[in-house]
Amino acid sequence: MIKNATAICKHITHGVYIISVDNGKQKNAFTAAWVMQVSFDPLLICFSINPQNHSYKLLQEGGICCISVLDNEQYPAAEHFGKSDIKDKMADFLWLETTKAPALADSLAYFDCQVDHYSDAGDHKLVVCRVVDAAILNDGDPMLYNDTDDMDNSDELY
Amino acid sequence: MIKNATAICKHITHGVYIISVDNGKQKNAFTAAWVMQVSFDPLLICFSINPQNHSYKLLQEGGICCISVLDNEQYPAAEHFGKSDIKDKMADFLWLETTKAPALADSLAYFDCQVDHYSDAGDHKLVVCRVVDAAILNDGDPMLYNDTDDMDNSDELY
């Protein structure tokens, strides 16, 4: 066990994202910080998800997701989608239709994705996604996960 | 092809890191931005590497690396290790011995890693690493890749 692992890991820079999923019958969305670009051509983005997360099942069933980038004033959205016990979690937010799962309308940008493959990652799963469409939606600066200490106890985060 | 992909991808937040590798006979180090934590327990970090990168061969042979976190004043180091045509690239920098590959002494923190497995990622390869040791070395704020536009032409970056 590495001493002080949480404090050391705060030095790894992550943004904050809302990832929506859709299995054709049910949609859900959750907050994620472990997201990065992994390929230029094809354009691929990878994220790490807790397989206990309810959205993981919908992701596996639907094979699609949309990654919306939060700006640094959207902490309430980050906190909201970091919880799993909210009924109609996606209500009260405006969503844009994409070719796959919906994008958060007031996010900075979105990446409309098709799952390419999964890989193991300890207590999480890596999801490698092919970006089929993407757009900038609003001006602003991306939220940094390192600035959001009090989200650590969210139960549908990562 | 997604229009304006580079500008849209700038909304994905990445830090800047120096990753050192060692095959037992030869060491090398390169600049990377596509790095993230992917698991709490075991503590795993994943990065995406261009398989054309000379360091990739050394990484595969040695199976070890060290990820050093740059602070926002270390642009010269980011630029230096982003180039592949420098002889004795690691000279003139101070390195700390770890259990695996060396850590950059004036970085913010390091993660001493054993490669766990690889996964495909388009024109790159994903490297999932088990963190065997880690430490904070210096105070400072991590460099953000989004702030470093002019590194885009580095040939041993990512």
Side-chain angles (χ1 to χ4, degrees), chain B residues 95-134:
Chain B
W95 299 90
L96 298 179
E97 271 195 41
T98 67
T99 70
K100 308 289 182 191
L104 191 66
D106 60 357
S107 63
L108 292 179
Y110 72 84
F111 299 88
D112 185 21
C113 296
Q114 177 87 40
V115 174
D116 187 80
H117 66 279
Y118 297 88
S119 185
D120 288 333
D123 55 19
H124 281 57
K125 287 282 179 188
L126 282 183
V127 188
V128 178
C129 300
R130 183 179 290 258
V131 180
V132 295
D133 194 17

Side-chain angles (χ1 to χ4, degrees), chain A residues 3-66:
Chain A
K3 283 183 200 167
N4 210 15
T6 303
I8 306 172
C9 288
K10 288 275 180 195
H11 291 79
I12 306 171
T13 299
H14 304 105
V16 185
Y17 309 84
I18 304 301
I19 301 182
S20 65
V21 294
D22 183 354
N23 71 351
K25 293 177 184 168
Q26 196 186 350
K27 294 180 176 65
N28 198 31
F30 64 101
T31 306
W34 295 348
V35 175
M36 68 176 178
Q37 184 176 353
V38 295
S39 170
F40 288 116
D41 184 18
L43 180 56
L44 301 178
I45 294 181
C46 174
F47 63 89
S48 186
I49 184 171
N50 182 342
Q52 305 301 320
N53 182 329
H54 173 60
S55 297
Y56 181 59
K57 187 168 175 283
L58 304 183
L59 179 70
Q60 286 185 298
E61 290 167 357
I64 58 171
C65 63
C66 184

Side-chain angles (χ1 to χ4, degrees), chain A:
Chain A
M1 203 67 187
I2 293 157
K3 283 183 200 167
N4 210 15
T6 303
I8 306 172
C9 288
K10 288 275 180 195
H11 291 79
I12 306 171
T13 299
H14 304 105
V16 185
Y17 309 84
I18 304 301
I19 301 182
S20 65
V21 294
D22 183 354
N23 71 351
K25 293 177 184 168
Q26 196 186 350
K27 294 180 176 65
N28 198 31
F30 64 101
T31 306
W34 295 348
V35 175
M36 68 176 178
Q37 184 176 353
V38 295
S39 170
F40 288 116
D41 184 18
L43 180 56
L44 301 178
I45 294 181
C46 174
F47 63 89
S48 186
I49 184 171
N50 182 342
Q52 305 301 320
N53 182 329
H54 173 60
S55 297
Y56 181 59
K57 187 168 175 283
L58 304 183
L59 179 70
Q60 286 185 298
E61 290 167 357
I64 58 171
C65 63
C66 184
I67 302 170
S68 298
V69 182
L70 292 189
D71 86 7
N72 58 11
E73 295 183 349
Q74 291 182 293
Y75 182 78
E79 193 176 42
H80 176 85
F81 290 104
K83 292 177 180 160
S84 61
D85 57 355
I86 299 172
K87 209 178 169 226
D88 295 330
K89 199 176 170 187
M90 295 176 73
D92 302 327
F93 287 83
L94 189 63
W95 300 90
L96 298 179
E97 270 195 41
T98 67
T99 71
K100 308 289 181 191
L104 190 66
D106 61 357
S107 63
L108 292 179
Y110 72 84
F111 299 88
D112 185 21
C113 295
Q114 178 86 39
V115 174
D116 188 81
H117 67 278
Y118 297 88
S119 185
D120 288 331
D123 54 20
H124 281 56
K125 288 283 180 187
L126 282 183
V127 189
V128 178
C129 299
R130 183 179 290 258
V131 180
V132 296
D133 194 17
I136 295 171
L137 295 176
N138 295 287
D139 288 335
D141 294 316
M143 185 184 291
L144 295 183
Y145 177 67
N146 304 32
D147 296 340
T148 58
D149 286 349
D150 43 353
M151 272 201 308
D152 286 357
N153 293 323
S154 300
D155 54 2
E156 199 170 57
L157 174 65
Y158 299 114

Side-chain angles (χ1 to χ4, degrees), chain B residues 72-83:
Chain B
N72 59 11
E73 296 184 347
Q74 291 182 294
Y75 182 78
E79 193 176 43
H80 176 85
F81 289 104
K83 292 176 181 161

